């Protein structure tokens, strides 16, 4: 978890409310990722960023948006939270090097419960 | 325990045994593979990686084997310890993203 923090670590919210999760890194890595982790599904990519203001969708992007205005911060927003978005959310960072090699380092996670 | 462990295949071993965790990957074009360990309540931690031009790579107490013919990856842990109890994930790499397997839970009994 060194160099990556997530906030909040736990959140309980109600259906229909907006929620923003924050990922902060001190490693100056170019790539940042948001995953969700659910029983039976493993880690699934929501969105990722390959630079400031450069983002792309992952496997399960519906209902989520992201923003990256600074290298160190990557925000995940649930515009109108639903119970199906109850999950554990992980941020990851990576510094892509020459070729396709892409080791990612993960944050400690945020447990989100939508009632 | 962490809810991520529900519905996972589980490997139960005795302390001191060798453990082998298997993973099938899907994309024959993938050229980089990683094993992660996830302890309860924590984020995944990097264990070892291997490139597609290799068949085997060794670390401290861990070995990864890659069989590209059948798209199979395995993680071998020597002299398994109670601290090795965790969920283990394999991941295959595209250019800038990883695709994760669903994981295997390793339980080590003293």
């Amino acid at each position: 978890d060194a160099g990556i923090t997530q906030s909040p670590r736990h959140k309980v919210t109600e259906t229909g409310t907006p929620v923003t999760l924050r990922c902060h890194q001190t490693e100056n890595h170019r790539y940042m990722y948001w995953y969700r982790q659910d029983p039976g599904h493993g880690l699934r990519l929501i969105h990722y960023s390959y630079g400031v203001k450069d983002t792309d969708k992952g496997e399960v992007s519906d209902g989520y948006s992201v923003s990256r205005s600074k290298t160190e911060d990557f925000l995940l927003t649930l515009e109108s939270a639903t119970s199906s978005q109850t999950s554990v959310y992980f941020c990851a960072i990576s510094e892509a090097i020459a070729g396709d090699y892409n080791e990612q380092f993960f944050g400690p996670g945020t447990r989100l419960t939508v009632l | 325990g962490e809810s991520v462990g529900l519905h996972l295949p589980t490997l139960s071993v005795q302390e001191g045994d060798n453990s082998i965790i298997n993973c099938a990957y899907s994309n024959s074009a993938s050229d980089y593979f990683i094993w992660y360990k996830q302890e309860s309540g924590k984020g995944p931690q990097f264990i070892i990686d291997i490139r597609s031009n290799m068949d085997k790579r060794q670390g401290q107490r861990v070995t990864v084997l890659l069989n590209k013919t059948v798209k199979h990856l395995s993680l071998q842990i020597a002299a398994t310890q109670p601290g090795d109890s965790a969920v283990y994930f394999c991941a295959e790499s595209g250019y800038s993203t990883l695709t994760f397997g669903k994981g295997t839970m390793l339980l080590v009994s003293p």
Side-chain angles (χ1 to χ4, degrees), chain A residues 34-98:
Chain A
W34 277 108
Y35 293 88
R36 60 178 289 173
Q37 187 172 42
D38 305 288
H41 292 280
L43 285 154
R44 293 181 292 174
L45 182 65
I46 304 172
H47 283 280
Y48 69 101
S49 169
Y50 46 97
V52 173
K53 295 192 165 91
D54 293 322
T55 65
D56 206 349
K57 295 179 179 180
E59 177 188 357
V60 290
S61 60
D62 288 349
Y64 302 94
S65 63
V66 290
S67 66
R68 190 161 177 209
S69 59
K70 298 185 291 184
T71 298
E72 58 266 35
D73 290 324
F74 192 33
L75 304 180
L76 177 71
T77 297
L78 291 65
E79 301 290 347
S80 178
T82 67
S83 59
S84 65
Q85 293 176 310
T86 293
S87 187
V88 180
Y89 291 85
F90 287 100
C91 174
I93 64 173
S94 175
E95 187 56 69
I97 57 176

Side-chain angles (χ1 to χ4, degrees), chain B residues 70-87:
Chain B
V70 295
K71 293 190 287 186
H72 183 268
L73 200 63
S74 69
L75 177 70
Q76 300 178 359
I77 304 174
T80 312
Q81 302 168 359
D84 295 326
S85 293
V87 177

Side-chain angles (χ1 to χ4, degrees), chain A residues 1 9 30-31 33 35 37-45 48 50 59 88 90 96-97 99-109 111, chain B residues 2-4 6-8 29 31-32 34 36 38 41-46 49 51-53 89 93-103:
Chain A
D1 297 355
R9 294 293 315 278
R30 178 183 173 192
Y31 288 81
Y33 306 83
Y35 293 88
Q37 187 172 42
D38 305 288
H41 292 280
L43 285 154
R44 293 181 292 174
L45 182 65
Y48 69 101
Y50 46 97
E59 177 188 357
V88 180
F90 287 100
I97 57 176
D100 294 346
Y101 313 123
N102 189 20
E103 175 185 347
Q104 293 181 17
F105 301 93
F106 284 81
R111 180 174 292 277
Chain B
E2 182 62 49
S3 62
V4 68
L6 295 176
H7 315 301
L8 287 177
D31 58 6
Y32 179 56
I34 308 174
Y36 284 91
Q38 187 176 25
K42 297 184 178 180
Q45 295 175 284
F46 171 87
D49 58 5
R51 295 180 173 86
S52 59
N53 61 352
F89 296 94
S93 177
Y95 178 71
S96 55
T97 62
L98 291 174
T99 301
F100 287 82
K102 290 184 171 47

Side-chain angles (χ1 to χ4, degrees), chain B:
Chain B
E2 182 62 49
S3 62
V4 68
L6 295 176
H7 315 301
L8 287 177
T10 300
L11 175 65
S12 296
V13 300
Q14 295 285 326
E15 182 178 1
D17 287 351
N18 295 331
S19 302
I20 300 176
I21 300 171
N22 296 304
C23 177
Y25 64 92
S26 58
N27 187 352
S28 57
S30 294
D31 58 6
Y32 179 56
F33 304 87
I34 308 174
W35 279 100
Y36 284 91
K37 172 186 180 183
Q38 187 176 25
E39 297 175 280
S40 180
K42 297 184 178 180
Q45 295 175 284
F46 171 87
I47 302 174
I48 191 167
D49 58 5
I50 188 167
R51 295 180 173 86
S52 59
N53 61 352
M54 304 170 69
D55 296 324
K56 178 179 180 179
R57 189 168 188 214
Q58 288 184 293
Q60 187 175 11
R61 284 201 307 117
V62 294
T63 301
V64 55
L65 299 177
L66 175 62
N67 185 330
K68 295 179 288 293
T69 302
V70 295
K71 293 190 287 186
H72 183 268
L73 200 63
S74 69
L75 177 70
Q76 300 178 359
I77 304 174
T80 312
Q81 302 168 359
D84 295 326
S85 293
V87 177
Y88 291 81
F89 296 94
C90 66
E92 57 183 302
S93 177
Y95 178 71
S96 55
T97 62
L98 291 174
T99 301
F100 287 82
K102 290 184 171 47
T104 297
M105 177 173 283
L106 177 64
L107 296 175
V108 183
S109 305

